[in-house]
Amino acid sequence: RVLFRYIEVFAEGMLKSGTDVLTKKLCLVFDRELSVPEITRIEKTMRLCFHEAPEYLLDIGIKKINGKEKTSGDSELVFSDGRGCTYFIISDGMGSGARAAVESCMTVALLKKLLQGGIGFDAAFRLINLILLTKSPDEIFATIDLLCVNSFTGQTDILKLGAAQTFIKTNGSVKCIESFSTPVGILSSIEFEHRTAYLSDGDCAVMISDGIEENCFLGIKELMMTSGISAEKCAERIIEKASDKGADSQDD
């Protein structure tokens, strides 16, 4: 069975029946659950694009707070590749403030372009490392924390370069995935951690930057095991607990 289908239909003029009727007929013909089509009109021709409906829907929450600087040196990005995969990226630039923000923003933006262009993880990381090494005579580096979820299979890839811990809940328990590699932009050769998990209904993942300290980890695991909490509310509570326990913290 092919896990993902993309169907284009071209029609002259207007459809005699509505898109709902056409969608149902295509679902029967291809034995796939298809989403409502995207419609584009070019002069008298109508183009309808159907995507297979994903097996899983994602609930996403993001919360961020600055440290001592007005500008956060941490950057985050969430995007989909149009083929069923959603990417979550966190990058922590060297130092703090505006300079760190430039490094981390550039890292996540480059990574998005490379991944959307079909470049694999390994090649993308090595290219970004090379760019940071050659961009400036000054030392420039940034961490990369990437999580990729396939909405059709539940396969989740976790890749890290000098990044903070990631927490994954599967089969009723929470595991902590750590990084022992260096950030990009330091060494000419790089090694990164790559773990694979399979999420199903009710499973979840939490990504953090190193501004969330170890004394908050138990609270994160307890939140992940609590049912009925949205991803947004979970992110807010983690930040609240981190702020309460680390009032003197200077990190983003």
Side-chain angles (χ1 to χ4, degrees), residues 200-216:
S200 57
D201 287 336
D203 289 342
C204 60
V206 171
M207 300 171 68
I208 59 175
S209 71
D210 61 5
I212 306 294
E213 298 179 354
E214 192 171 348
N215 57 12
C216 297

Side-chain angles (χ1 to χ4, degrees), residues 27-165:
C27 289
L28 291 172
V29 170
F30 293 102
D31 191 24
R32 296 288 192 276
E33 184 67 31
L34 301 175
S35 60
V36 176
E38 300 170 5
I39 300 175
T40 305
R41 287 184 173 84
I42 304 172
E43 296 181 350
K44 295 183 178 181
T45 302
M46 181 185 294
R47 174 174 171 264
L48 299 95
C49 302
F50 297 84
H51 293 270
E52 186 176 359
E55 184 73 18
Y56 302 105
L57 297 177
L58 304 181
D59 181 24
I60 302 169
I62 300 171
K63 185 67 177 178
K64 183 176 179 179
I65 189 169
N66 295 0
K68 62 181 180 179
E69 301 284 351
K70 292 182 178 179
T71 302
S72 174
D74 297 345
S75 296
E76 77 289 334
L77 194 60
V78 179
F79 65 94
S80 298
D81 63 2
R83 298 183 293 275
C85 288
T86 301
Y87 296 82
F88 303 82
I89 305 172
I90 296 177
S91 179
D92 186 355
M94 180 188 70
S96 61
R99 172 171 173 170
V102 169
E103 295 163 6
S104 62
C105 283
M106 179 178 67
T107 298
V108 298
L110 280 172
L111 191 51
K112 177 183 178 181
K113 288 183 178 180
L114 292 170
L115 294 174
Q116 286 186 322
I119 303 297
F121 294 126
D122 185 85
F125 290 163
R126 297 188 190 285
L127 183 55
I128 290 173
N129 186 60
L130 180 62
I131 291 171
L132 291 184
L133 282 172
T134 58
K135 182 175 175 57
S136 169
D138 298 328
E139 190 176 52
I140 295 178
F141 65 80
T143 66
I144 293 178
D145 196 2
L146 186 150
L147 186 143
C148 174
V149 181
N150 187 310
S151 297
F152 294 98
T153 65
Q155 178 175 324
T156 301
D157 291 290
I158 304 104
L159 301 100
K160 292 179 175 291
L161 278 158
Q165 291 85 345

